[in-house]
Amino acid sequence: MIPPQEASARRREIEDKLKKEEETLSFIRDSLEKSDQLTKNMVSILSSFESRLMKLENSIIPVHKQTETLQRLQENVEKTLSCLDHVISYYHVASDTEKVIREGPTGRLEEYLGSMAKIQKAVEYFQDNSPDSPELNKVKLLFERGKESLESEFRSLMTRHSKVVSPVLILDLISGDDELEVQEEGTLEHLPESVLQDVVRISRWLVEYGRNQDFMNVYYQIRSSQLDRSIKGLKEHFRRSSSSSGVPYSPAVPNKRKDTPTKKPVKRPGTIRKAQNLLKQYSQHGLDGKKGGSNLIPLEGRDDMLDVETDAYIHCVSAFVKLAQSEYQLLMDIIPEHHQKRTFDSLIQDALDGLMLEGESIVSAARKAIIRHDFSTVLTVFPILRHLKQTKPEFDQVLQGTAASTKNKLPGLITSMETIGAKALEDFADNIKNDPDKEYNMPKDGTVHELTSNAILFLQQLLDFQETAGAMLASQVLGDTYNIPLDPRETSSSATSYSSEFSKRLLSTYICKVLGNLQLNLLSKSKVYEDPALSAIFLHNNYNYILKSLEKSELIQLVAVTQRTAERSYQEHIEQQIQTYQRSWLKVTDYIAEKNLPVFQPGVKLRDKERQMIKERFKGFNDGLEELCKIQKAWAIPDTEQRDKIRQAQKNIVKETYGAFLHRYGSVPFTKNPEKYIKYRVEQVGDMIDRLFDTSA
């Protein structure tokens, strides 16, 4: 059992807790009541706010819709006004741009093209929206007037600023292939940069907006004229400024500048002048032959104008290539791409036709020269043909895209020159063979015949043009003529393209043919002389001249390609003629030859018959010696070495024979007047022979 005091205390504790719980419950109840009251108040406020929002929405939405409508209306009005302004502006284009169009584009191209753009747009607007409007006709007329002004400005700019290229600059451009520095300094500027920009803008506008191609005709006509005049100016420059050697020079200026190009002497192609110089050199060594005629016109003394004209033509060909390349570069900036080839083809026609016509004139002149046997003129074809063939790759490159007729002009000219050159070679060989034996044309002193000097001079000239001459012969299938088989390895796919070795063999065979014909003709001509000794001297001189000329000009190496024994053969011919000549002295030496002398005993008085025989021997020797020396003194052996050799050999023979005779009979009393018969001492005889072949002695 719990004590009463504890129970009482326990009860009071529980009552206290219960009282506190009741107070807490009362507080919670009061708080819930307040919260309910607040909730009711908030619900009331929200309900009131919702009601007000509903009222506001109902009043704002109609206003918003009305405002949106007004904004659209405003935008429409603004667009309409803008369109009206734009349309109205087209009606003012004519008046706004008329002054600019009337004054033209000169000096104001940018502004002018801007005005033309406005007119173009106006034309397009009226065509689309009001095709019957009078304004359309007005802007159309203004547009056409503006286009004509642009065309006129294009022509004016091209005419005023397209200048003929000076010969000096062209020569610098040609020689610039070998020197980069010169090439850079010699760059052509056909139009000033500012002018070029204007021309390009006008051409593009005319193509894009003007729908006009007439300006291309204007362009090629103007540039074609300048190209043609530039090349003709170069040719005239050669005629005016060529010196006696035919070499034009550009003015030398110490300080190099782009506007003052300098020029070194132009490298001249080989012409017949080189062979003429060789002949002069041989003349100094006693090999010249000017006495004696031939139906071949002499190569010496030909007009130097031929060399000038040849050089001029060759340089004009090179100039055409360089200028045409430059023209195409200029054209690419100005002419639309799909019109460039056709325009370029038209542009170069006059200059190209001029070159081809002049080339055909050269061929025609060569053809006439062959008829009259003037082969010196024909030789001008060789350097020209060689240059044309060397230049052909550049020609082909420049003419890419042009018409077939344009591309075929140069090959046609080359073929014509090869044909006429081959004919000249064959006719020359035939003329050497058939040159008539005219007695009045034969050299009286037996020196070198003009036919020989002309033939050698012609062959020497071929040294500079071995491949060209060989190609000429090959082009005419002369291999069959000379029995030279064609090796497939020696020809390319082209029927006219042969290896250099094959061409050299053809040329060697041809030269041997000419020399053979010459030798046969000389043998025939030598028969004109009544004196066999003079005939031998004539053949000796000619053979010696041929051999020395072959050796000095290196023709002998070319001959040796097919005739290895040619040099030895000529030496044998020369020696043979010397022996023939020496036989002419037998009629002198036979008088005093030991086999023909009388035999007598020393100390025994001579009989009258023996004395008479000795007198006859002395007289025969003296008369024969005097006669031969008188006759042969007028003969000529131009080669000093050969002359001395022949004199010395003959002098040794005669002096030895005469010395022995004089030693044997000089002291024999065969006459009372020994000075009448013993007219010459041995030394005097030698001196007389030393004066042979010397008209000045």
Side-chain angles (χ1 to χ4, degrees):
M1 269 185 73
I2 300 174
Q5 290 179 349
E6 290 182 7
S8 176
R10 178 81 177 175
R11 186 173 61 241
R12 283 195 301 268
E13 182 180 351
I14 292 173
E15 286 176 355
D16 288 340
K17 287 184 180 181
L18 180 61
K19 186 178 180 181
K20 288 181 182 178
E21 291 295 332
E22 286 176 354
E23 289 175 356
T24 300
L25 180 61
S26 175
F27 174 76
I28 293 174
R29 190 178 291 114
D30 291 340
S31 296
L32 287 173
E33 287 177 357
K34 289 180 182 179
S35 176
D36 289 340
Q37 186 61 40
L38 290 173
T39 300
K40 289 178 181 178
N41 291 339
M42 180 57 68
V43 170
S44 175
I45 292 171
L46 289 175
S47 298
S48 175
F49 183 72
E50 182 182 4
S51 175
R52 291 180 180 182
L53 283 177
M54 290 289 293
K55 290 179 180 180
L56 181 61
E57 183 179 354
N58 291 334
S59 60
I60 287 297
I61 287 177
V63 173
H64 173 72
K65 290 181 178 180
Q66 186 176 6
T67 302
E68 189 178 40
T69 301
L70 290 174
Q71 287 177 339
R72 284 199 300 270
L73 290 174
Q74 183 179 2
E75 289 175 359
N76 290 337
V77 169
E78 290 175 353
K79 289 180 180 178
T80 302
L81 291 174
S82 176
C83 289
L84 287 174
D85 289 339
H86 182 68
V87 171
I88 291 172
S89 68
Y90 288 129
Y91 286 86
H92 294 291
V93 165
S95 59
D96 291 343
T97 59
E98 185 174 7
K99 180 182 179 182
V100 176
I101 301 303
R102 184 174 63 251
E103 293 176 353
T106 305
R108 54 194 297 183
L109 182 61
E110 190 70 28
E111 180 183 1
Y112 193 89
L113 291 179
S115 297
M116 289 300 294
K118 293 178 182 179
I119 297 172
Q120 173 71 14
K121 290 179 180 179
V123 171
E124 293 173 354
Y125 171 79
F126 288 120
Q127 284 178 337
D128 294 339
N129 299 283
S130 184
D132 298 328
S133 171
E135 290 295 330
L136 176 60
N137 293 331
K138 185 183 293 185
V139 291
K140 269 188 174 181
L141 290 174
L142 194 59
F143 182 81
E144 291 300 322
R145 189 192 308 170
K147 184 170 71 171
E148 291 174 0
S149 295
L150 283 172
E151 294 171 359
S152 177
E153 179 70 4
F154 182 89
R155 179 188 294 273
S156 176
L157 289 173
M158 291 299 303
T159 302
R160 283 188 288 115
H161 296 282
S162 291
K163 305 297 182 184
V164 173
V165 183
S166 70
V168 173
L169 186 54
I170 294 176
L171 291 173
D172 278 340
L173 192 66
I174 294 173
S175 64
D177 288 340
D178 300 325
E179 297 182 11
L180 181 60
E181 179 183 353
V182 177
Q183 188 173 16
E184 290 175 351
E185 292 187 355
T187 301
L188 291 180
E189 184 182 68
H190 293 292
L191 297 174
E193 185 61 29
S194 59
V195 174
L196 177 59
Q197 291 177 1
D198 287 350
V199 169
V200 170
R201 292 203 63 186
I202 293 174
S203 69
R204 290 177 180 174
W205 188 93
L206 289 173
V207 171
E208 186 174 355
Y209 301 107
R211 305 292 190 271
N212 187 307
Q213 297 182 5
D214 292 341
F215 78 94
M216 299 180 197
N217 296 331
V218 172
Y219 176 85
Y220 90 70
Q221 289 168 2
I222 293 174
R223 294 308 307 171
S224 175
S225 174
Q226 300 304 327
L227 175 61
D228 191 40
R229 289 169 59 193
S230 296
I231 294 176
K232 289 179 179 177
L234 177 63
K235 183 177 180 181
E236 187 61 29
H237 172 74
F238 269 82
R239 291 175 174 173
R240 290 196 311 267
S241 64
S242 291
S243 62
S244 59
S245 63
V247 182
Y249 293 85
S250 298
V253 181
N255 52 335
K256 295 184 178 181
R257 300 185 323 199
K258 288 188 177 180
D259 57 342
T260 56
T262 61
K263 192 79 189 80
K264 63 181 180 180
V266 177
K267 297 177 182 177
R268 298 176 67 249
T271 61
I272 70 166
R273 188 180 307 281
K274 178 178 179 181
Q276 291 172 337
N277 291 337
L278 286 171
L279 183 60
K280 292 178 183 177
Q281 294 173 11
Y282 302 155
S283 176
Q284 295 171 1
H285 291 83
L287 290 176
D288 198 4
K290 296 182 180 178
K291 300 176 183 178
S294 166
N295 70 334
L296 296 173
I297 295 178
L299 298 182
E300 316 140 80
R302 77 186 270 280
D303 193 354
D304 284 345
M305 280 304 296
L306 280 176
D307 278 343
V308 176
E309 293 295 329
T310 299
D311 287 346
Y313 185 74
I314 286 173
H315 283 85
C316 285
V317 169
S318 295
F320 172 81
V321 173
K322 294 299 181 184
L323 292 177
Q325 289 173 341
S326 181
E327 286 292 344
Y328 192 76
Q329 292 298 319
L330 178 66
L331 176 143
M332 289 173 65
D333 292 330
I334 299 174
I335 304 300
E337 183 177 358
H338 54 288
H339 292 287
Q340 289 173 0
K341 294 295 185 182
R342 178 179 58 81
T343 304
F344 180 70
D345 197 343
S346 301
L347 189 155
I348 62 174
Q349 283 304 314
D350 287 348
L352 182 58
D353 286 343
L355 286 177
M356 296 301 108
L357 183 62
E358 190 173 351
E360 290 297 339
S361 297
I362 292 171
V363 172
S364 178
R367 187 175 292 110
K368 295 176 182 178
I370 291 173
I371 295 175
R372 62 177 186 272
H373 303 152
D374 179 11
F375 293 98
S376 62
T377 301
V378 179
L379 284 173
T380 60
V381 172
F382 284 73
I384 292 174
L385 176 58
R386 180 176 67 179
H387 186 70
L388 289 178
K389 296 179 82 170
Q390 290 173 345
T391 312
K392 187 177 180 298
E394 289 185 86
F395 247 98
D396 294 341
Q397 185 177 6
V398 170
L399 299 183
Q400 280 183 355
T402 57
S405 58
T406 302
K407 294 178 181 177
N408 292 334
K409 287 181 179 180
L410 180 63
L413 179 59
I414 289 176
T415 300
S416 297
M417 287 193 171
E418 282 190 332
T419 301
I420 199 66
K423 179 171 176 53
L425 292 175
E426 281 303 292
D427 281 20
F428 181 80
D430 291 341
N431 274 276
I432 293 296
K433 180 179 181 179
N434 301 320
D435 187 69
D437 303 326
K438 298 177 182 178
E439 183 175 355
Y440 61 87
N441 273 336
M442 293 294 290
K444 304 299 182 184
D445 56 1
T447 190
V448 178
H449 198 281
E450 192 173 43
L451 175 70
T452 303
S453 61
N454 282 347
I456 293 300
L457 193 57
F458 187 89
L459 295 180
Q460 288 166 349
Q461 180 57 21
L462 297 184
L463 283 173
D464 282 338
F465 309 102
Q466 295 184 34
E467 290 189 8
T468 303
M472 287 178 177
L473 298 171
S475 69
Q476 303 302 311
V477 200
L478 296 181
D480 293 339
T481 304
Y482 300 130
N483 297 318
I484 297 180
L486 294 179
D487 189 334
R489 293 172 297 179
E490 294 179 318
T491 62
S492 69
S493 57
S494 171
T496 58
S497 179
Y498 297 84
S499 72
S500 58
E501 185 63 31
F502 178 69
S503 297
K504 182 179 289 187
R505 285 199 288 124
L506 269 182
L507 186 58
S508 175
T509 304
Y510 170 78
I511 292 175
C512 291
K513 176 183 177 181
V514 172
L515 293 176
N517 289 348
L518 177 60
Q519 186 173 342
L520 290 174
N521 199 316
L522 290 173
L523 283 171
S524 176
K525 289 182 186 301
S526 68
K527 297 176 182 177
V528 172
Y529 296 109
E530 295 180 359
D531 191 334
L534 180 56
S535 176
I537 291 296
F538 170 77
L539 290 176
H540 164 273
N541 285 332
N542 283 270
Y543 291 156
N544 183 64
Y545 178 86
I546 293 171
L547 177 59
K548 292 296 177 64
S549 299
L550 292 178
E551 292 173 340
K552 286 180 178 290
S553 64
E554 299 180 359
L555 271 171
I556 195 67
Q557 286 89 340
L558 193 55
V559 170
V561 172
T562 54
Q563 281 268 10
R564 297 187 180 278
T565 62
E567 189 172 6
R568 186 175 70 235
S569 176
Y570 274 110
Q571 290 171 344
E572 291 174 353
H573 288 320
I574 292 170
E575 196 60 37
Q576 181 182 352
Q577 298 309 318
I578 292 176
Q579 294 174 5
T580 301
Y581 161 74
Q582 289 176 341
R583 284 197 289 271
S584 68
W585 282 84
L586 290 177
K587 62 183 179 181
V588 176
T589 56
D590 276 355
Y591 279 106
I592 57 176
E594 186 175 356
K595 62 181 180 179
N596 296 324
L597 296 177
V599 180
F600 60 90
Q601 296 296 326
V604 178
K605 185 178 179 180
L606 297 176
R607 290 175 294 178
D608 291 342
K609 182 178 179 182
E610 292 173 339
R611 286 196 297 270
Q612 185 62 33
M613 183 177 293
I614 294 173
K615 290 178 182 179
E616 289 176 356
R617 294 292 182 267
F618 269 107
K619 186 177 186 305
F621 173 78
N622 292 335
D623 292 346
L625 176 66
E626 291 169 357
E627 181 185 1
L628 277 187
C629 287
K630 180 181 179 181
I631 293 173
Q632 295 184 9
K633 178 183 177 182
W635 296 355
I637 299 179
D639 188 334
T640 304
E641 182 182 346
Q642 286 291 315
R643 183 168 64 237
D644 293 342
K645 174 184 175 182
I646 292 174
R647 282 175 177 172
Q648 188 62 42
Q650 197 60 52
K651 184 168 63 173
N652 292 340
I653 295 173
V654 177
K655 285 178 65 177
E656 181 181 353
T657 307
Y658 182 63
F661 177 75
L662 193 60
H663 176 74
R664 185 169 185 178
Y665 295 101
S667 58
V668 174
F670 65 91
T671 178
K672 295 180 179 180
N673 301 309
E675 65 275 1
K676 178 181 179 181
Y677 297 98
I678 307 176
K679 296 174 63 174
Y680 303 105
R681 298 188 308 276
V682 174
E683 291 74 15
Q684 287 179 307
V685 172
D687 291 341
M688 292 175 69
I689 295 176
D690 279 337
R691 290 193 291 272
L692 296 180
F693 317 117
D694 187 358
T695 56
S696 63

